[in-house]
Structures are given as structure tokens and as C-alpha cells.
């Protein structure tokens, strides 16, 4: 097997760190489009929004790649151990931040705000507590169903033919889904893991079938050219839709966006592979960012809402330039700070109970 890790860092970390850093633009531009922006500002927002639209697929690919790597390196891990670890790493932060949005910032809810206990629970579960939590509801389904992806990884192993069969079948099912999607009349399809299945399957197969990384590395310039062509495709669609720019029309569920998302995933993966192979300086910082990326993602709209409210006197473009870095810093600082506080609390409890 080609070595594609550097210590505890893998290409999944590069994808998670990149996705979390850039997904904040999507939330920020959602706020900006309510101003409303001028025509030129709309075009600029639309172009950048399309450029960072790969974040949800990249995060899915990265998470499954890393979990499959850990599973392959620690086959003694039981389902119970895995679920206990994911409960503390992902579900507990989800619960706390969902409550923070619903109770402290209820104005950021999507769809119909809650009016009673039943609707409160509905908003919490389906991801409507904040603009970005739809994705979290979908991603947690992958976490719950991870034993199925372990089984797929174990079945494919290092057999490239089995891997290609798995990708081909997944691709055929997803092609059918892209045909059906325009006729599905509910927003809840975003919350279903099947809508992002190709990225999960690709991430699952990516660890053991690791020969694709050095192979793609040989053609990295062509890969970048393909990424630029895919971005040109979605830009052409953006221009074709005209004004006003509607961010919701840049759907994940179209061939152009699927091709673009995979192109970015592959470029980031090859870039991470080259950094790890040559012991690049980014390896350590990327692992740190990836460690706290999920918790930073959960919190970023909370901090963005507060920072956005404090910058009302600024023109739109300077406001965006101020809000983005401050939101990024606040999100990662809070993720790390809460981690340290929790560790300190646990140590105090252990000493007290000793």
C-alpha cells in the first residue's frame, strides 16, 4: 500500500479542513443576499458561491476516508467503541449547538419557526434550527450507517475491479437520482444521505485502493485543467440564469456540480498527498484544523450572526471582508476553547471522585 498518511494526518484531513474553511462563505453570502446587493455584487457573490459549493461533498468524502482508515488500522474496534466515540465527538456538540440556535438565536431558523414542543423537536431533528444544519442532519446518517461502509470497504479490499464495480453501480443509481430529483417536491431530500452517496462510497474505497493518489499525481496539471473546465461549466450556467442571482439555484443535484465537486475533491486530495509525501509544513496545522473542523462548522453561523449584527454600519463588501475572518477565528477558537474547558472539567471531576 502506498503511504498516504503523515502521523495521524491523511487526505481526509485536508478535505475536512478545506471544506470547513470555505463553507463559511456560503453562510456569509446567504446573509449578504438579504441586503440586497447591487448587480455587480450579485455576480461576484454568485461566482464565489459556486466556487465553494463543493464543501458538503468534500466533507463527506473526507470523514468517511478517515473513519475507514482508522477502522482498517484498528480492526479490533467494536461497534460499541465506535458509537461511543462518535456520540461524544459529533452528537453531543450537535445537541448543544442546536439548542443554542433554537433558544438563543431562534431568528436563524429555516422554514416554519417552532411554536410548541413538537415543532421544536422537528426543527432540531431535521436541521432547520440554522441555515447550515440541514447538512449536519444528513451527515450524521452516514455516521450511524458506518458499519455498512466498513462492510463495503472490507468487501472491496485492495481489489480494484471490485472497487470499480461499486463505483459504477453507485454512479448508475446517482444518475437515476439526478433525473428524478427535479420532480421531488420536498426540501427534505437534502437531509437524506442517499443524496450524497457517491461521495461517501468514493471516500470509503479511497483508503485501501490508494493507488489512485500517485496515479493522479502524475496527471495533476490535467486534473487542475479539468477542475477549471468544470468551474467554467457552472459559471456558464450561472450567467445563463441571469439576474437576480439566486443562490438556491446552484443545486448539488446536477451533473455540472457533481463533476465540479469531484474535481475539487481530487485536486485537494492530490495536494494533500504531495504535502504528506514530502513532509510539507501544512501537515501539522491541517491535522489540527481537521480535528476541530466539525465543531467549528456547527458554531460558525452562531458567531456570524453576532458579528454580522455588530457591523451594520459598513458597506457590503467591507462588511464581508470583516465578517469572514472574524467568523472563522471565532468558530475555531470556540471549538478549541470548549474542548480545553471540557478536558479541564473532566480532570477536576476525576480528582474529586478519586
Amino acid at each position: 500500500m502506498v503511504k498516504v498518511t503523515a502521523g495521524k494526518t491523511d487526505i481526509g484531513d485536508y478535505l475536512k479542513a478545506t471544506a470547513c474553511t470555505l463553507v463559511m462563505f456560503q453562510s456569509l453570502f446567504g446573509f449578504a443576499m438579504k441586503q440586497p446587493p447591487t448587480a455587480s455584487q450579485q455576480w461576484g457573490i454568485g461566482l464565489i458561491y459556486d466556487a465553494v459549493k463543493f464543501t458538503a461533498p468534500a466533507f463527506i468524502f473526507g470523514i468517511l476516508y478517515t473513519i475507514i482508515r482508522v477502522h482498517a488500522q484498528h480492526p479490533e474496534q467494536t461497534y460499541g467503541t465506535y458509537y461511543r466515540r462518535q456520540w461524544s465527538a459529533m452528537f453531543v456538540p450537535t445537541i448543544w449547538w442546536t439548542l443554542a440556535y433554537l433558544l438563543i438565536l431562534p431568528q436563524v431558523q429555516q422554514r416554519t419557526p417552532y411554536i410548541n414542543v413538537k415543532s421544536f423537536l422537528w426543527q432540531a431533528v431535521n436541521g432547520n434550527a440554522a441555515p447550515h444544519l440541514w447538512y449536519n442532519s444528513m451527515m450524521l446518517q452516514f455516521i450511524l450507517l458506518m458499519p455498512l461502509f466498513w462492510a463495503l470497504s472490507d468487501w472491496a479490499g485492495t481489489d480494484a475491479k471490485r472497487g470499480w464495480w461499486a463505483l459504477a453501480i453507485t454512479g448508475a443509481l446517482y444518475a437515476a437520482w439526478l433525473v428524478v430529483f427535479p420532480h421531488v417536491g420536498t426540501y427534505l431530500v437534502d437531509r437524506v444521505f442517499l443524496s450524497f452517496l457517491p461521495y461517501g462510497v468514493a471516500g470509503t474505497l479511497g483508503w485501501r485502493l490508494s493507488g489512485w493518489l500517485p496515479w493522479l499525481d502524475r496527471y495533476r496539471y490535467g486534473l487542475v485543467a479539468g477542475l477549471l473546465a468544470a468551474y467554467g461549466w457552472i459559471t456558464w450556467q450561472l450567467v445563463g440564469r441571469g439576474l437576480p442571482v439566486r443562490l438556491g439555484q446552484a443545486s448539488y443535484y446536477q451533473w455540472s456540480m457533481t463533476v465540479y465537486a469531484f474535481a475539487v475533491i481530487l485536486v485537494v486530495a492530490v495536494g494533500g498527498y504531495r504535502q504528506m509525501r514530502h513532509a510539507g509544513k501544512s501537515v501539522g496545522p491541517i491535522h489540527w484544523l481537521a480535528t476541530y473542523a466539525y465543531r467549528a462548522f456547527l458554531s460558525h453561523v452562531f458567531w456570524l450572526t453576532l458579528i454580522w449584527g455588530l457591523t451594520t454600519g459598513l458597506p457590503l463588501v467591507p462588511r464581508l471582508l470583516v465578517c469572514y475572518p472574524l467568523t472563522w477565528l471565532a468558530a475555531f477558537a470556540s471549538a478549541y476553547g470548549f474542548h480545553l474547558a471540557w478536558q479541564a472539567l473532566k480532570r477536576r471531576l476525576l480528582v474529586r471522585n478519586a
Side-chain angles (χ1 to χ4, degrees):
M1 178 183 293
V2 177
K3 184 179 180 181
V4 289
T5 62
K8 294 182 178 180
T9 308
D10 60 30
I11 64 165
D13 287 342
Y14 280 84
L15 288 163
K16 288 177 285 185
T18 301
C20 182
T21 294
L22 296 181
V23 74
M24 297 181 193
F25 276 113
Q26 295 187 41
S27 302
L28 180 62
F29 290 155
F31 281 50
M33 292 301 282
K34 297 176 182 179
Q35 291 301 289
T38 65
S40 60
Q41 289 170 346
Q42 287 184 56
W43 286 123
I45 288 172
L47 288 169
I48 300 174
Y49 186 87
D50 275 353
V52 301
K53 187 68 176 180
F54 68 91
T55 51
F59 213 103
I60 292 297
F61 186 107
I63 281 184
L64 269 76
Y65 184 96
T66 298
I67 292 178
I68 293 299
R69 173 181 68 82
V70 173
H71 171 67
Q73 294 177 336
H74 299 280
E76 74 281 1
Q77 182 185 43
T78 65
Y79 292 156
T81 301
Y82 164 77
Y83 282 121
R84 283 192 297 272
R85 183 172 298 165
Q86 297 305 326
W87 170 256
S88 61
M90 304 188 78
F91 285 88
V92 171
T94 292
I95 292 170
W96 283 115
W97 281 111
T98 298
L99 289 174
Y101 288 116
L102 290 174
L103 298 177
I104 302 174
L105 296 176
Q107 68 270 25
V108 301
Q109 290 178 82
Q110 305 297 291
R111 302 289 171 170
T112 305
Y114 69 86
I115 56 174
N116 51 36
V117 173
K118 181 180 179 181
S119 57
F120 180 93
L121 294 175
W122 174 245
Q123 291 292 87
V125 170
N126 71 9
N128 280 339
H132 63 312
L133 292 184
W134 68 268
Y135 168 75
N136 192 60
S137 295
M138 176 272 297
M139 184 178 61
L140 291 179
Q141 295 171 53
F142 279 96
I143 300 303
L144 291 172
L145 296 171
M146 193 56 64
L148 297 179
F149 294 97
W150 287 348
L152 173 62
S153 176
D154 291 341
W155 174 78
T158 57
D159 189 330
K161 290 183 178 179
R162 288 191 173 188
W164 280 114
W165 269 111
L167 288 174
I169 293 171
T170 304
L173 292 174
Y174 194 68
W177 171 236
L178 293 181
V179 173
V180 171
F181 174 78
H183 307 289
V184 178
T186 174
Y187 69 91
L188 293 175
V189 292
D190 279 337
R191 278 72 166 169
V192 179
F193 82 100
L194 292 172
S195 296
F196 290 83
L197 186 61
Y199 312 106
V201 170
T204 297
L205 299 173
W207 166 249
R208 286 184 173 171
L209 300 175
S210 57
W212 60 278
L213 281 166
W215 183 82
L216 279 178
D217 186 37
R218 296 200 299 268
Y219 303 100
R220 56 187 178 277
Y221 298 114
L223 190 59
V224 172
L227 184 154
L228 294 175
Y231 182 66
W233 185 3
I234 60 177
T235 299
W236 174 76
Q237 292 178 318
L238 170 70
V239 173
R241 290 192 293 267
L243 291 172
V245 171
R246 295 183 175 88
L247 301 183
Q249 292 179 330
S251 172
Y252 285 110
Y253 313 120
Q254 51 184 335
W255 280 114
S256 58
M257 199 59 73
T258 303
V259 171
Y260 176 69
F262 268 116
V264 177
I265 287 170
L266 295 179
V267 167
V268 173
V270 170
Y273 166 75
R274 290 179 63 81
Q275 281 289 294
M276 290 181 290
R277 191 181 65 178
H278 298 294
K281 294 181 179 180
S282 72
V283 172
I286 285 292
H287 181 67
W288 188 91
L289 290 173
T291 300
Y292 298 101
Y294 178 67
R295 282 163 280 186
F297 163 76
L298 287 175
S299 71
H300 83 271
V301 171
F302 185 92
W303 304 117
L304 172 60
T305 303
L306 300 180
I307 295 167
W308 188 258
L310 294 173
T311 56
T312 53
L314 293 176
L316 181 59
V317 174
R319 194 178 187 184
L320 296 175
L321 294 176
V322 168
C323 287
Y324 174 76
L326 290 180
T327 298
W328 188 92
L329 287 170
F332 276 97
S334 64
Y336 185 56
F338 288 141
H339 166 74
L340 293 179
W342 176 239
Q343 294 301 315
L345 178 60
K346 286 198 297 184
R347 285 194 295 269
R348 291 187 62 180
L349 291 175
L350 287 173
V351 170
R352 182 176 299 176
N353 295 328

